[in-house]
Amino acid sequence: MKITILDNTDGSEDEVIVRCSVLDESLISLLNSFKHGKQKRTVYKDDRIFLIDDNDAFYFESVDDRVFVYTASDVYETRSKLYQLENELPQKDFMRANKAVIINLNKIKSLAPAFGGRFEATIENGYKVIISRMYVPVLKERLGL
């Protein structure tokens, strides 16, 4: 990969030009981070509104048509649906673990095989998430296993 940086002394708007043979997920994620910067997510708890960084989320879980965000210290509710989060979150850091959970790959403490070709991921907060066998190949690819 070749990177060229040119000084923008004429005061015009900053510009990023990408020439690539394949526009893959990692490149799209990188471009989104350039475009949007470090983004905060609006979440709710006890009639209060909070802003949290996506990287602080251990996992997102859907329960009874409500989506919760689990962090090291708290549980918040988000108004986003899991399928929306799946498209918004950086795919290099987050993945669908099963039909009700999106997991932060950076917060996985350990993995263990489970019955029926599934995996059990232990998160840094001690919670255990079952990775369904449909998503195990994705997990292995993302973690380089």
Side-chain angles (χ1 to χ4, degrees):
M1 176 191 312
K2 176 182 167 187
I3 298 175
T4 304
I5 299 174
L6 303 173
D7 190 16
N8 186 10
T9 57
D10 64 358
S12 62
E13 184 179 5
D14 292 340
E15 177 182 27
V16 175
I17 299 172
V18 177
R19 290 188 192 113
C20 60
S21 57
V22 177
L23 188 61
D24 62 3
E25 292 175 10
S26 62
L27 191 53
I28 290 171
S29 176
L30 179 66
L31 293 173
N32 282 335
S33 67
F34 276 130
K35 186 174 180 180
H36 301 294
K38 198 168 192 169
Q39 197 168 355
K40 298 278 186 179
R41 180 163 308 280
T42 304
V43 294
Y44 306 89
K45 181 179 180 176
D46 300 329
D47 296 326
R48 297 183 68 196
I49 300 170
F50 297 88
L51 296 174
I52 63 166
D53 189 285
D54 286 336
N55 291 324
D56 292 336
F58 284 20
Y59 58 95
F60 297 83
E61 182 176 36
S62 176
V63 178
D64 296 331
D65 292 327
R66 297 169 64 193
V67 177
F68 297 95
V69 183
Y70 294 80
T71 66
S73 59
D74 265 312
V75 178
Y76 303 97
E77 185 175 354
T78 179
R79 303 270 163 82
S80 300
K81 300 292 184 195
L82 277 184
Y83 73 88
Q84 293 170 319
L85 290 168
E86 204 170 10
N87 292 325
E88 294 170 3
L89 294 166
Q91 292 186 0
K92 67 179 180 54
D93 297 323
F94 292 88
M95 69 165 274
R96 182 72 76 120
N98 57 55
K99 70 178 184 175
V101 175
I102 294 175
I103 190 170
N104 185 341
L105 297 171
N106 299 316
K107 303 294 184 183
I108 293 175
K109 186 176 179 181
S110 66
L111 289 168
F115 181 73
R118 300 176 301 165
F119 269 62
E120 181 180 78
T122 302
I123 310 299
E124 289 177 2
N125 64 357
Y127 184 76
K128 296 183 187 302
V129 173
I130 294 294
I131 312 292
S132 71
R133 65 175 181 249
M134 181 172 131
Y135 296 105
V136 167
V138 177
L139 175 71
K140 288 181 175 181
E141 179 187 330
R142 298 250 179 105
L143 296 179
L145 301 174

PDB file of all heavy atoms in Angstrom, residues 96-112:
ATOM      1  N   ARG A  96     -21.706 -10.291  14.813  1.00  0.00           N
ATOM      2  CA  ARG A  96     -22.889 -10.967  15.330  1.00  0.00           C
ATOM      3  C   ARG A  96     -22.437 -12.303  15.890  1.00  0.00           C
ATOM      4  O   ARG A  96     -21.726 -13.053  15.248  1.00  0.00           O
ATOM      5  CB  ARG A  96     -23.889 -11.159  14.195  1.00  0.00           C
ATOM      6  CG  ARG A  96     -25.196 -11.806  14.585  1.00  0.00           C
ATOM      7  CD  ARG A  96     -26.083 -10.894  15.406  1.00  0.00           C
ATOM      8  NE  ARG A  96     -26.732  -9.882  14.622  1.00  0.00           N
ATOM      9  CZ  ARG A  96     -28.031  -9.746  14.510  1.00  0.00           C
ATOM     10  NH1 ARG A  96     -28.840 -10.590  15.115  1.00  0.00           N
ATOM     11  NH2 ARG A  96     -28.534  -8.771  13.806  1.00  0.00           N
ATOM     12  N   ALA A  97     -22.836 -12.594  17.132  1.00  0.00           N
ATOM     13  CA  ALA A  97     -22.473 -13.860  17.771  1.00  0.00           C
ATOM     14  C   ALA A  97     -23.607 -14.874  17.658  1.00  0.00           C
ATOM     15  O   ALA A  97     -23.355 -16.064  17.520  1.00  0.00           O
ATOM     16  CB  ALA A  97     -22.134 -13.627  19.243  1.00  0.00           C
ATOM     17  N   ASN A  98     -24.820 -14.385  17.731  1.00  0.00           N
ATOM     18  CA  ASN A  98     -26.014 -15.213  17.565  1.00  0.00           C
ATOM     19  C   ASN A  98     -27.163 -14.270  17.231  1.00  0.00           C
ATOM     20  O   ASN A  98     -26.930 -13.071  17.050  1.00  0.00           O
ATOM     21  CB  ASN A  98     -26.285 -16.077  18.809  1.00  0.00           C
ATOM     22  CG  ASN A  98     -26.428 -15.263  20.069  1.00  0.00           C
ATOM     23  OD1 ASN A  98     -27.246 -14.359  20.143  1.00  0.00           O
ATOM     24  ND2 ASN A  98     -25.614 -15.571  21.074  1.00  0.00           N
ATOM     25  N   LYS A  99     -28.376 -14.769  17.153  1.00  0.00           N
ATOM     26  CA  LYS A  99     -29.472 -13.913  16.697  1.00  0.00           C
ATOM     27  C   LYS A  99     -29.787 -12.763  17.651  1.00  0.00           C
ATOM     28  O   LYS A  99     -30.422 -11.794  17.253  1.00  0.00           O
ATOM     29  CB  LYS A  99     -30.726 -14.730  16.420  1.00  0.00           C
ATOM     30  CG  LYS A  99     -31.391 -15.298  17.639  1.00  0.00           C
ATOM     31  CD  LYS A  99     -32.642 -16.051  17.255  1.00  0.00           C
ATOM     32  CE  LYS A  99     -33.367 -16.527  18.507  1.00  0.00           C
ATOM     33  NZ  LYS A  99     -34.633 -17.148  18.186  1.00  0.00           N
ATOM     34  N   ALA A 100     -29.309 -12.827  18.892  1.00  0.00           N
ATOM     35  CA  ALA A 100     -29.648 -11.790  19.872  1.00  0.00           C
ATOM     36  C   ALA A 100     -28.456 -10.972  20.367  1.00  0.00           C
ATOM     37  O   ALA A 100     -28.639 -10.055  21.152  1.00  0.00           O
ATOM     38  CB  ALA A 100     -30.337 -12.427  21.072  1.00  0.00           C
ATOM     39  N   VAL A 101     -27.233 -11.281  19.905  1.00  0.00           N
ATOM     40  CA  VAL A 101     -26.046 -10.634  20.482  1.00  0.00           C
ATOM     41  C   VAL A 101     -25.049 -10.209  19.399  1.00  0.00           C
ATOM     42  O   VAL A 101     -24.772 -10.959  18.470  1.00  0.00           O
ATOM     43  CB  VAL A 101     -25.337 -11.578  21.478  1.00  0.00           C
ATOM     44  CG1 VAL A 101     -24.042 -10.970  22.003  1.00  0.00           C
ATOM     45  CG2 VAL A 101     -26.258 -11.920  22.637  1.00  0.00           C
ATOM     46  N   ILE A 102     -24.521  -8.985  19.562  1.00  0.00           N
ATOM     47  CA  ILE A 102     -23.355  -8.524  18.815  1.00  0.00           C
ATOM     48  C   ILE A 102     -22.252  -8.357  19.842  1.00  0.00           C
ATOM     49  O   ILE A 102     -22.442  -7.717  20.879  1.00  0.00           O
ATOM     50  CB  ILE A 102     -23.621  -7.192  18.097  1.00  0.00           C
ATOM     51  CG1 ILE A 102     -24.673  -7.383  16.996  1.00  0.00           C
ATOM     52  CG2 ILE A 102     -22.329  -6.632  17.507  1.00  0.00           C
ATOM     53  CD1 ILE A 102     -25.092  -6.103  16.307  1.00  0.00           C
ATOM     54  N   ILE A 103     -21.088  -8.921  19.565  1.00  0.00           N
ATOM     55  CA  ILE A 103     -19.993  -8.957  20.535  1.00  0.00           C
ATOM     56  C   ILE A 103     -18.827  -8.090  20.070  1.00  0.00           C
ATOM     57  O   ILE A 103     -18.560  -7.978  18.877  1.00  0.00           O
ATOM     58  CB  ILE A 103     -19.557 -10.430  20.748  1.00  0.00           C
ATOM     59  CG1 ILE A 103     -18.603 -10.575  21.916  1.00  0.00           C
ATOM     60  CG2 ILE A 103     -18.962 -11.007  19.498  1.00  0.00           C
ATOM     61  CD1 ILE A 103     -18.343 -12.031  22.293  1.00  0.00           C
ATOM     62  N   ASN A 104     -18.161  -7.453  21.030  1.00  0.00           N
ATOM     63  CA  ASN A 104     -16.944  -6.692  20.754  1.00  0.00           C
ATOM     64  C   ASN A 104     -15.778  -7.679  20.803  1.00  0.00           C
ATOM     65  O   ASN A 104     -15.449  -8.212  21.864  1.00  0.00           O
ATOM     66  CB  ASN A 104     -16.772  -5.584  21.788  1.00  0.00           C
ATOM     67  CG  ASN A 104     -15.595  -4.685  21.500  1.00  0.00           C
ATOM     68  OD1 ASN A 104     -14.685  -5.036  20.759  1.00  0.00           O
ATOM     69  ND2 ASN A 104     -15.605  -3.501  22.099  1.00  0.00           N
ATOM     70  N   LEU A 105     -15.139  -7.920  19.673  1.00  0.00           N
ATOM     71  CA  LEU A 105     -14.056  -8.900  19.595  1.00  0.00           C
ATOM     72  C   LEU A 105     -12.868  -8.512  20.478  1.00  0.00           C
ATOM     73  O   LEU A 105     -12.129  -9.379  20.942  1.00  0.00           O
ATOM     74  CB  LEU A 105     -13.600  -9.065  18.145  1.00  0.00           C
ATOM     75  CG  LEU A 105     -14.645  -9.622  17.184  1.00  0.00           C
ATOM     76  CD1 LEU A 105     -14.148  -9.544  15.745  1.00  0.00           C
ATOM     77  CD2 LEU A 105     -15.022 -11.040  17.558  1.00  0.00           C
ATOM     78  N   ASN A 106     -12.691  -7.227  20.727  1.00  0.00           N
ATOM     79  CA  ASN A 106     -11.577  -6.758  21.552  1.00  0.00           C
ATOM     80  C   ASN A 106     -11.794  -7.021  23.040  1.00  0.00           C
ATOM     81  O   ASN A 106     -10.873  -6.857  23.836  1.00  0.00           O
ATOM     82  CB  ASN A 106     -11.352  -5.264  21.334  1.00  0.00           C
ATOM     83  CG  ASN A 106     -11.009  -4.959  19.899  1.00  0.00           C
ATOM     84  OD1 ASN A 106     -10.207  -5.651  19.280  1.00  0.00           O
ATOM     85  ND2 ASN A 106     -11.631  -3.938  19.352  1.00  0.00           N
ATOM     86  N   LYS A 107     -13.003  -7.393  23.416  1.00  0.00           N
ATOM     87  CA  LYS A 107     -13.322  -7.632  24.827  1.00  0.00           C
ATOM     88  C   LYS A 107     -13.418  -9.114  25.168  1.00  0.00           C
ATOM     89  O   LYS A 107     -13.773  -9.470  26.284  1.00  0.00           O
ATOM     90  CB  LYS A 107     -14.649  -6.947  25.196  1.00  0.00           C
ATOM     91  CG  LYS A 107     -14.674  -5.456  24.926  1.00  0.00           C
ATOM     92  CD  LYS A 107     -13.728  -4.699  25.794  1.00  0.00           C
ATOM     93  CE  LYS A 107     -13.862  -3.200  25.549  1.00  0.00           C
ATOM     94  NZ  LYS A 107     -12.921  -2.418  26.301  1.00  0.00           N
ATOM     95  N   ILE A 108     -13.088  -9.985  24.215  1.00  0.00           N
ATOM     96  CA  ILE A 108     -13.131 -11.419  24.477  1.00  0.00           C
ATOM     97  C   ILE A 108     -11.921 -11.802  25.319  1.00  0.00           C
ATOM     98  O   ILE A 108     -10.782 -11.519  24.956  1.00  0.00           O
ATOM     99  CB  ILE A 108     -13.140 -12.238  23.167  1.00  0.00           C
ATOM    100  CG1 ILE A 108     -14.451 -11.993  22.407  1.00  0.00           C
ATOM    101  CG2 ILE A 108     -12.977 -13.728  23.458  1.00  0.00           C
ATOM    102  CD1 ILE A 108     -14.511 -12.669  21.052  1.00  0.00           C
ATOM    103  N   LYS A 109     -12.188 -12.435  26.446  1.00  0.00           N
ATOM    104  CA  LYS A 109     -11.135 -12.890  27.346  1.00  0.00           C
ATOM    105  C   LYS A 109     -10.653 -14.285  26.959  1.00  0.00           C
ATOM    106  O   LYS A 109      -9.456 -14.557  26.940  1.00  0.00           O
ATOM    107  CB  LYS A 109     -11.669 -12.892  28.784  1.00  0.00           C
ATOM    108  CG  LYS A 109     -10.669 -13.210  29.832  1.00  0.00           C
ATOM    109  CD  LYS A 109     -11.325 -13.070  31.202  1.00  0.00           C
ATOM    110  CE  LYS A 109     -10.377 -13.407  32.316  1.00  0.00           C
ATOM    111  NZ  LYS A 109     -11.025 -13.284  33.622  1.00  0.00           N
ATOM    112  N   SER A 110     -11.603 -15.186  26.631  1.00  0.00           N
ATOM    113  CA  SER A 110     -11.237 -16.551  26.237  1.00  0.00           C
ATOM    114  C   SER A 110     -12.341 -17.167  25.389  1.00  0.00           C
ATOM    115  O   SER A 110     -13.477 -16.709  25.404  1.00  0.00           O
ATOM    116  CB  SER A 110     -10.973 -17.420  27.469  1.00  0.00           C
ATOM    117  OG  SER A 110     -12.164 -17.599  28.211  1.00  0.00           O
ATOM    118  N   LEU A 111     -11.969 -18.217  24.660  1.00  0.00           N
ATOM    119  CA  LEU A 111     -12.906 -18.969  23.831  1.00  0.00           C
ATOM    120  C   LEU A 111     -12.790 -20.435  24.173  1.00  0.00           C
ATOM    121  O   LEU A 111     -11.705 -20.930  24.464  1.00  0.00           O
ATOM    122  CB  LEU A 111     -12.569 -18.797  22.345  1.00  0.00           C
ATOM    123  CG  LEU A 111     -12.834 -17.442  21.718  1.00  0.00           C
ATOM    124  CD1 LEU A 111     -12.180 -17.361  20.347  1.00  0.00           C
ATOM    125  CD2 LEU A 111     -14.325 -17.199  21.604  1.00  0.00           C
ATOM    126  N   ALA A 112     -13.921 -21.137  24.110  1.00  0.00           N
ATOM    127  CA  ALA A 112     -13.916 -22.581  24.347  1.00  0.00           C
ATOM    128  C   ALA A 112     -14.930 -23.223  23.415  1.00  0.00           C
ATOM    129  O   ALA A 112     -16.004 -22.669  23.198  1.00  0.00           O
ATOM    130  CB  ALA A 112     -14.274 -22.888  25.799  1.00  0.00           C
TER     131      ALA A 112
END
